[in-house]
Amino acid sequence: MCEDTSVGGHVFINYRGEDSESYAALLYVELCRRFGSELVFLDSESIPAGSDFVEELLSRVRHARVLLAVIGPRWLTVASAEGTPRILDPADWTRRELAEALAAGVKVIPVLTDGTDIPTGPELPSDIVALCRCQYRRLRRRDASVDLGRLGDELAAADPELAAAAARRVLTHAPAVMPSVPAGGSGDPAATYMSHHEPKGGGYSGRAVRGWHRYASVSHEVLFGVEQIIGRLRAGLRSTSGGWILCVRGAGGVGKTALAYEVARVAEQEGAFDRVLWTTVKGEASLLGIGEMSQPTWGDTVAGLADQLEVPLSASRTLWDRELGDAIRRQDAGTRFLTVVDNLESSGTATSIVDRLVELGFVRPHKLLLTSRWVVPDRWNLVKEQLVRGLAPKDAIALARHEGASDEQLSAAPDSAFSPIVRITEGNPYLIKLIVRRYLSSGLPLERVVQDLIAAAGHLGSQKDSLAHGARDYLFDGSLKELDRRAGSKAAHMLMAAFCVKRRGEEVDYGELKDISGLADAAFDDVLRCGCELELIQASNLNQRYSIHSLLYEFTVGPMEWLP
Ligand SMILES: Nc1ncnc2c1ncn2[C@@H]1O[C@H](COP(=O)(O)OP(=O)(O)OP(=O)(O)O)[C@@H](O)[C@H]1O
Ligand SMILES: [Mg+2]
């Protein structure tokens, strides 16, 4: 993202949140992948903190190379609380950005989602009436990748600078795609599982995220094979007579957090809840052994929930529970919250945290959605469990192809080439991603990567609880060695050690991570970039926060000899 408002030449995405947020995010992901995030601008979330919001936004519009106006079926009709269509309000941001672009002579391309028609002249206020004469493009959910590809091609063909930017970029990621609509789906984008939390590109991009999304650390672009399970969870959440606590249980890396995120996002979009809240239970440093939830962990949970609910907490921690509980009880009758409690890492932790949330009033009419690797004992008689298993072979293969889309040969390989991956990972999506990344970064034949893995996993697996467990350790080991090779082993060790002094599941700010690592600026940036490229590290919130997957945390903290 450009820091200087006078720097122009970007593609500005204009959209109405309530109408077409998913499509705008989809466009953003694809255009960032293609041209680089510094050439794409998506509304106020891309504005640096502390800058003058209005001036920044309007300056961005005036300096844009092209403005894409994403228009869906509710674009004209979304109304204020008083019932006036927003578009008729001169202060409406969607309208102001468009008016500014048209007045400044910026090229405007309406992007019509699904079956929406271009608004007619009489439907538009006078300052944006020219919109109806602009040549539009269509973005259809079912053909999203085709439409996105075509739009990107046209932008590049019309603008040499964008074409040059596209040529400079190494395309490391597949285009953003929307999976097919689940059987019985509504056709509404809300029913699809394309995620739009945070675009990825070279592992080193991302936009600021709001509200509960800020607390959820997820990295998927698309989920495979989850329609049925999401359908069941959605039904459970919609029920108003039960299912007060839903627990998603499954092995590490099987996709619990990703599922909880999508289910919460869809439930919110469907209006099943007024608010979604998210808390990730951060484990104690495993160096000290995983124990019961300690006071600071519960304090973090309360502080995070209070922040999302905009409840001020007093200086004394002893009052926090009461203050949060009071805020929950003060809600109007009929208000419903969904609170996701991610990463409950032992039955003891689960019991103690859920106990407190139940006591504070977070169930009935509100609901809790838990994720855990272990059974959560139902001492409240309120828990319904949903077990998550590895992906079915066809979904595992689809994920492997998606992850390997930048490699033409891999994506064109027959299904049988992927069978060993499916077998060794037992359909675990995290392991599948690691294997494909290993293949892409090693430059070795897939067969060889798989053979090495089977040999190593068989050996390790005999000592651990499953083949997948052994495969995981082997893959982490390989990726960490690759990080050593690329960034130098000292820098690699110092960076990973910096994550290990934090707690499992915890995100760390860029500055803090650099301080803890003790690395100098350039060396730190270099190793961080390599870590992101190897998918060992996830970046979020405009690359200001970083985390490692809980399985990698356990792996790195476990063998002490790996630490410097
Ligand atoms: N169905 C899926 N399709 C594609 N990718 C997936 C799917 N499920 C999970 N993933 C990806 O696999 C990885 C692991 O998923 P996730 O972190 O949700 O697992 P988890 O069960 O929460 O693990 P843990 O127990 O360690 O917290 C993530 O990178 C996620 O994006
Ligand atoms: Mg998880």
Side-chain angles (χ1 to χ4, degrees):
M1 190 190 70
C2 323
E3 293 295 320
D4 177 356
T5 57
S6 66
V7 175
H10 49 269
V11 181
F12 189 108
I13 301 173
N14 162 275
Y15 70 104
R16 190 179 289 299
E18 299 92 317
D19 172 53
S20 49
E21 192 174 17
S22 314
Y23 286 96
L26 182 66
L27 262 177
Y28 183 69
V29 172
E30 169 62 5
L31 297 180
C32 286
R33 187 189 73 85
R34 195 152 174 157
F35 302 120
S37 56
E38 64 285 359
L39 287 180
V40 190
F41 188 88
L42 183 83
D43 80 23
S44 54
E45 290 175 13
S46 297
I47 293 177
S51 59
D52 179 337
F53 174 87
V54 176
E55 193 36 47
E56 172 84 18
L57 201 58
L58 295 181
S59 167
R60 293 285 183 164
V61 174
R62 283 193 295 270
H63 289 92
R65 203 165 278 276
V66 59
L67 179 143
L68 301 178
V70 188
I71 299 176
R74 300 184 61 219
W75 191 82
L76 279 170
T77 53
V78 170
S80 65
E82 294 75 49
T84 317
R86 294 246 171 85
I87 197 71
L88 299 182
D89 177 1
D92 171 42
W93 269 109
T94 311
R95 172 171 161 186
R96 276 189 80 176
E97 288 170 3
L98 274 169
E100 194 75 25
L102 291 165
V106 173
K107 184 178 169 68
V108 172
I109 303 177
V111 177
L112 308 178
T113 65
D114 288 325
T116 311
D117 287 323
I118 184 87
T120 59
E123 288 174 306
L124 294 167
S126 58
D127 53 349
I128 59 166
V129 75
L131 183 69
C132 71
R133 294 189 292 275
C134 295
Q135 226 190 6
Y136 62 81
R137 298 287 177 272
R138 289 209 176 271
L139 177 51
R140 297 156 301 172
R141 182 173 41 76
R142 284 185 185 282
D143 292 307
S145 34
V146 175
D147 292 350
L148 286 168
R150 193 179 298 142
L151 185 60
D153 288 347
E154 287 179 358
L155 290 173
D159 190 306
E161 204 168 306
L162 287 177
R168 277 195 303 273
R169 273 182 77 72
V170 182
L171 297 183
T172 52
H173 281 261
V177 290
M178 281 192 182
S180 56
V181 183
S186 62
D188 176 336
T192 67
Y193 305 115
M194 180 208 73
S195 182
H196 56 82
H197 47 88
E198 186 189 317
K200 300 181 77 206
Y204 220 4
S205 67
R207 67 186 175 107
V209 284
R210 295 165 302 171
W212 66 274
H213 301 264
R214 224 165 4 113
Y215 286 84
S217 194
V218 286
S219 63
H220 56 275
E221 290 167 354
V222 60
L223 296 182
F224 295 89
V226 292
E227 287 83 0
Q228 282 190 351
I229 201 164
I230 288 197
R232 281 198 291 274
L233 287 165
R234 268 166 84 183
L237 288 179
R238 269 200 305 265
S239 157
T240 47
S241 56
W244 303 109
I245 304 179
L246 293 183
C247 180
V248 178
R249 178 166 72 85
V254 79
K256 301 179 295 294
T257 301
L259 274 170
Y261 182 90
E262 290 306 315
V263 169
R265 187 176 71 75
V266 171
E268 187 184 40
Q269 278 185 359
E270 287 178 334
F273 296 91
D274 299 281
R275 293 284 286 273
V276 170
L277 308 169
W278 185 286
T279 180
T280 300
V281 181
K282 300 179 184 80
E284 293 302 288
S286 316
L287 287 169
L288 309 174
I290 295 175
E292 289 296 286
M293 179 183 56
S294 69
Q295 197 58 32
T297 305
W298 171 246
D300 288 349
T301 299
V302 176
L305 294 174
D307 177 41
Q308 291 165 73
L309 285 167
E310 288 157 34
V311 174
L313 295 177
S314 53
S316 164
R317 279 193 179 218
T318 51
L319 300 175
W320 286 8
D321 282 17
R322 205 172 69 211
E323 287 164 348
L324 186 63
D326 286 349
I328 288 290
R329 280 186 284 275
R330 271 201 307 274
Q331 300 302 318
D332 295 338
T335 303
R336 296 179 79 218
F337 293 154
L338 171 65
T339 306
V340 183
V341 186
D342 185 31
N343 200 23
L344 283 166
E345 54 181 37
S346 72
S347 300
T349 306
T351 305
S352 117
I353 200 160
V354 177
D355 248 356
R356 295 191 204 192
L357 289 171
V358 169
E359 227 168 75
L360 295 184
F362 279 82
V363 285
R364 284 185 291 202
H366 312 299
K367 291 200 172 192
L368 295 178
L369 177 61
L370 319 176
T371 79
S372 175
R373 292 187 198 164
W374 292 273
V375 173
V376 172
D378 187 9
R379 43 187 259 155
W380 316 272
N381 212 11
L382 298 172
V383 180
K384 270 179 79 174
E385 185 181 88
Q386 175 64 58
L387 199 59
V388 190
R389 295 208 168 84
L391 300 179
K394 75 171 176 20
D395 299 313
I397 292 172
L399 170 59
R401 279 191 203 284
H402 176 75
E403 285 298 308
S406 63
D407 182 299
E408 273 176 30
Q409 288 184 340
L410 184 66
S411 44
D415 281 2
S416 55
F418 294 95
S419 307
I421 298 185
V422 176
R423 187 171 70 81
I424 197 145
T425 58
E426 297 162 11
N428 183 305
Y430 190 58
L431 290 175
I432 294 170
K433 287 173 85 166
L434 283 179
I435 292 191
V436 175
R437 193 123 295 261
R438 174 71 170 274
Y439 161 76
L440 294 175
S441 68
S442 69
L444 294 171
L446 181 61
E447 222 169 82
R448 164 81 193 281
V449 171
V450 169
Q451 268 167 11
D452 284 355
L453 196 64
I454 290 171
H459 170 67
L460 290 168
S462 60
Q463 299 157 28
K464 306 260 177 76
D465 51 8
S466 79
L467 201 61
H469 199 139
R472 181 190 77 196
D473 289 357
Y474 176 72
L475 286 165
F476 282 143
D477 192 46
S479 298
L480 289 167
K481 285 200 175 104
E482 180 64 17
L483 185 66
D484 279 7
R485 203 182 58 72
R486 291 188 187 188
S489 73
K490 184 161 169 251
H493 286 204
M494 286 166 90
L495 178 68
M496 296 315 294
F499 281 108
C500 295
V501 301
K502 304 303 285 187
R503 283 171 296 174
R504 176 176 171 267
E506 191 163 9
E507 288 193 331
V508 198
D509 284 344
Y510 173 87
E512 191 189 351
L513 193 61
K514 185 155 75 180
D515 286 350
I516 302 174
S517 76
L519 287 163
D521 290 1
F524 177 75
D525 285 350
D526 184 51
V527 66
L528 190 60
R529 185 175 42 75
C530 293
C532 289
E533 279 168 7
L534 290 167
E535 300 235 338
L536 287 167
I537 297 166
Q538 289 155 18
S540 61
N541 242 35
L542 280 175
N543 292 340
Q544 290 172 57
R545 296 172 74 73
Y546 294 87
S547 60
I548 57 175
H549 196 273
S550 44
L551 291 171
L552 175 60
Y553 180 90
E554 286 156 20
F555 179 83
T556 43
V557 168
M560 295 293 289
E561 67 275 18
W562 202 83
L563 296 172

